[in-house]
């Protein structure tokens, strides 16, 4: 089960360069490096438009991007009695910040297909706090496998989970739900040590 079976991947980092978030930024940088070492996936830091351009240009290649791992922040809002909405907070490599509306993000990710009519993106990992609602929308829109966090997650926990997951999914070749359960076990083992 080679990397061709999984397809090309993209590690999308959206981490602010901030002294207030130094530990988070450190964990995100470690995560990016570890995942690149495990998968060989391309590293990317840019706007949602730049992401779309990258995905579109990958559609017609012999090895298109089939999975995305998002590392960054997420914010939940409840505007004036409406339902909760989610926004991914993107900080590009120049330090410019952009808030991505969840509907626009879902549309961009799910609207692209490869020549056989399959969705371009088969798997997306939202390694960010409070991303379960967005994950559900991506699944409902046709993304086969979506990973997310129901609540707050610390940078170190997110990194440990991600590296465990990608070792199981990418290197070992486990199906996503088995890799997910194995990664949860790795995280539980670390967080229950006294």
């Amino acid at each position: 089960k080679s990397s061709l079976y999984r397809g090309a991947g993209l590690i999308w980092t959206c981490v602010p360069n901030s002294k207030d978030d130094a530990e988070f930024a450190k964990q995100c940088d470690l995560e990016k490096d570890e995942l690149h070492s495990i998968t060989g996936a391309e590293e990317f830091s840019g706007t949602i438009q730049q992401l779309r351009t990258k995905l579109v240009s990958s559609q017609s290649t012999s090895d298109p991007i089939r999975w995305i791992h998002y590392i960054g922040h997420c914010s939940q809002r409840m505007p004036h009695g409406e339902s909760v909405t989610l926004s991914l907070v993107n900080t590009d490599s120049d330090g410019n910040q952009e808030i991505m509306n969840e509907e626009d993000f879902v549309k961009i990710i799910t609207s692209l297909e490869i020549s056989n009519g399959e969705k371009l993106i088969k798997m997306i990992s939202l390694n960010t706090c409070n991303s379960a609602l967005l994950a559900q929308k991506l699944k409902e829109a046709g993304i086969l496998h979506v990973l997310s966090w129901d609540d707050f997650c610390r940078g170190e926990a997110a990194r440990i989970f991600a590296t465990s997951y990608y070792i199981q999914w990418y290197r070992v070749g486990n199906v996503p739900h088995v890799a997910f359960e194995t990664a949860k076990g790795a995280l539980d083992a670390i967080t229950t040590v006294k």
Side-chain angles (χ1 to χ4, degrees), residues 55-184:
L55 294 175
V56 167
S57 68
S58 126
Q59 278 178 290
S60 60
T61 66
S62 61
D63 192 18
I65 295 169
R66 302 307 308 267
W67 58 269
I68 298 171
H69 180 78
Y70 174 87
I71 303 170
H73 282 301
C74 194
S75 68
Q76 283 186 303
R77 299 183 317 252
M78 196 172 327
H80 304 78
E82 298 173 23
S83 61
V84 173
T85 61
L86 184 78
S87 298
L88 293 176
V89 180
N90 179 24
T91 304
D92 69 16
S93 57
D94 296 325
N96 300 314
Q97 194 173 71
E98 142 185 87
I99 307 295
M100 293 173 280
N101 172 284
E102 64 184 4
E103 285 82 18
D104 293 341
F105 180 73
V106 169
K107 190 182 309 174
I108 287 167
I109 296 298
T110 61
S111 66
L112 301 173
E113 297 180 348
I114 56 176
S115 60
N116 67 3
E118 235 181 80
K119 296 273 185 219
L120 175 66
I121 303 300
K122 297 189 300 184
M123 197 274 293
I124 186 163
S125 173
L126 300 168
N127 212 15
T128 182
C129 299
N130 303 308
S131 53
L133 292 174
L134 178 57
Q136 184 61 39
K137 289 183 181 194
L138 287 163
K139 288 220 29 114
E140 289 169 359
I143 301 299
L144 294 176
H145 307 286
V146 186
L147 304 176
S148 65
W149 289 84
D150 290 336
D151 209 339
F152 173 79
C153 64
R154 294 208 173 279
E156 182 180 23
R159 178 184 58 80
I160 291 167
F161 178 84
T163 55
S164 298
Y165 176 84
Y166 282 96
I167 286 169
Q168 292 297 312
W169 182 66
Y170 201 85
R171 281 195 184 157
V172 176
N174 281 324
V175 294
H177 75 274
V178 171
F180 177 81
E181 292 301 325
T182 303
K184 275 185 13 184

